[in-house]
Amino acid sequence: MKFLQKDLRPWGQYFVVHDEKSYKLKRIEIKPGQRISYQFHKKRSETWTIVKGSGVLNLDGIEKNVKYGDTITISKKVKHRIYNNTNSDLIFIEVQTGSYFGEDDIIRIEDDYKRI
């Protein structure tokens, strides 16, 4: 499969699968023992479907175990983070909807890698 964009991150990598004016579709891979920043978005909502592995999801301070087949809806301004607490990759498909999909709409609250 050919991807529109690939970006390496300290926690893993993501691939942009499809990018339209009204939505963006990504494949996100979290390495074992890693987690994304605790963050929120002002201009987009996200829906995640776990397609490989399992982990711990934090939505507005409430933690919940997630696994293959689970779908999570994250509304605008909802703080969120996912942690891969296993020894194999955690992969999910992210569908972004809203008015803007740029990476500068990530408002980080906490970050293991000291990013702003």
Side-chain angles (χ1 to χ4, degrees), residues 35-114:
R35 62 186 181 170
I36 65 170
S37 59
Y38 191 46
Q39 60 185 254
F40 69 94
H41 312 285
K42 292 181 179 179
K43 299 180 180 180
R44 71 175 183 243
S45 297
E46 297 175 343
T47 301
W48 297 353
T49 299
I50 310 296
V51 296
K52 181 180 178 189
S54 62
V56 178
L57 174 72
N58 182 328
L59 279 182
D60 270 340
I62 299 170
E63 290 190 345
K64 149 183 177 171
N65 292 320
V66 293
K67 64 186 181 328
Y68 171 81
D70 288 348
T71 298
I72 301 103
T73 301
I74 305 164
S75 299
K76 290 178 200 170
K77 300 182 183 174
V78 170
K79 294 176 243 159
H80 58 281
R81 167 183 260 170
I82 193 162
Y83 169 49
N84 181 353
N85 62 342
T86 73
N87 293 321
S88 59
D89 287 346
L90 167 62
I91 301 174
F92 59 94
I93 303 302
E94 175 180 277
V95 179
Q96 301 174 1
T97 55
S99 60
Y100 179 72
F101 310 117
E103 293 298 299
D104 56 344
D105 187 37
I106 298 172
I107 293 86
R108 291 187 174 93
I109 300 159
E110 294 177 8
D111 186 66
D112 296 344
Y113 316 101
K114 309 289 187 248

Side-chain angles (χ1 to χ4, degrees), residues 16-40:
V16 176
V17 177
H18 201 77
D19 193 356
E20 293 284 337
K21 184 175 180 176
S22 60
Y23 71 95
K24 184 182 264 188
L25 178 64
K26 289 183 177 178
R27 173 189 163 111
I28 299 178
E29 302 177 358
I30 312 289
K31 294 186 284 190
Q34 302 298 308
R35 62 186 181 170
I36 65 170
S37 59
Y38 191 46
Q39 60 185 254
F40 69 94

